[in-house]
Amino acid sequence: DIPISASAAGTPQSYTASIGGNPMIMVYGFSDGVGSTYGNGVSIGSSTPPTAMFTVFGRSATGSTTVEFANSASTTLFKLLDSGLAGFGTTSPWGLLSVNGNALGAGVPQFVVGSSTKTSFIVTNNNNSGFGTTTPWGKLSVDTTNMDAGTPTFVVGSSSVTSFIITQGGTVGINTTKVDAFTFALGC
């Protein structure tokens, strides 16, 4: 336990543990003036006060790892490089966000927006993508059963300038937003 000095409110209170003169971890807060602290945080890799509750400073070396989470078998689950590239299931993320689906168990999707009962978008482990479904059966599947009435299934363009449209009923329109009972409509 590190005692708090009897100092005015707002006075920094900290402890830094170093190895060989290199700061490893800092515990930081501000005196509240009555024997406690506020604005507490932990800083790793620097003696600079943390900018959040938990701040990790990188090593400034090209390709060096800032944060890594691994399981009990030492398999990398998440890695954040000093460059800002982050990866799930990979030791070498190559994009701003890299997801290695090969590291997932069977039936575990690579990416999901939504929940298991109401999925807005999904990329499965076999690289199929789906909107409104948890089980896309093609490279791009759109489930229209839960769409709001009048919402098109697929559109290229906007609500005022539409190049291509497919309605919920399967009607197709090209260069038109006025698609009615015809199976195929062409606007000029």
Side-chain angles (χ1 to χ4, degrees):
D1 190 26
I2 302 170
I4 299 169
S5 66
S7 53
T11 304
Q13 305 288 302
S14 67
Y15 174 78
T16 302
S18 299
I19 296 177
N22 298 308
M24 302 304 289
I25 188 167
M26 171 193 247
V27 180
Y28 189 87
F30 295 94
S31 171
D32 66 0
V34 292
S36 191
T37 60
Y38 66 92
N40 301 324
V42 174
S43 174
I44 295 179
S46 176
S47 59
T48 301
T51 56
M53 182 67 104
F54 183 70
T55 304
V56 178
F57 290 85
R59 297 183 216 169
S60 300
T62 304
S64 114
T65 301
T66 301
V67 175
E68 183 172 14
F69 292 99
N71 63 15
S72 59
S74 297
T75 301
T76 299
L77 303 175
F78 174 79
K79 183 174 258 194
L80 176 63
L81 302 179
D82 274 3
S83 63
L85 302 180
F88 288 93
T90 178
T91 57
S92 54
W94 59 277
L96 190 57
L97 177 61
S98 301
V99 179
N100 179 5
N102 296 329
L104 300 170
V108 178
Q110 293 184 34
F111 182 78
V112 175
V113 175
S115 67
S116 62
T117 57
K118 183 160 175 51
T119 302
S120 298
F121 179 72
I122 189 170
V123 178
T124 64
N125 206 1
N126 64 354
N127 293 319
N128 288 348
S129 300
F131 290 92
T133 178
T134 57
T135 55
W137 59 275
K139 287 299 169 193
L140 178 61
S141 300
V142 180
D143 183 348
T144 61
T145 56
N146 294 317
M147 292 178 65
D148 294 335
T151 302
T153 300
F154 183 78
V155 174
V156 175
S158 67
S159 61
S160 59
V161 179
T162 302
S163 300
F164 184 79
I165 186 170
I166 301 175
T167 67
Q168 287 183 28
T171 306
V172 175
I174 298 175
N175 289 331
T176 183
T177 58
K178 296 178 171 68
V179 180
D180 51 28
F182 296 106
T183 304
F184 178 78
L186 180 61
C188 295

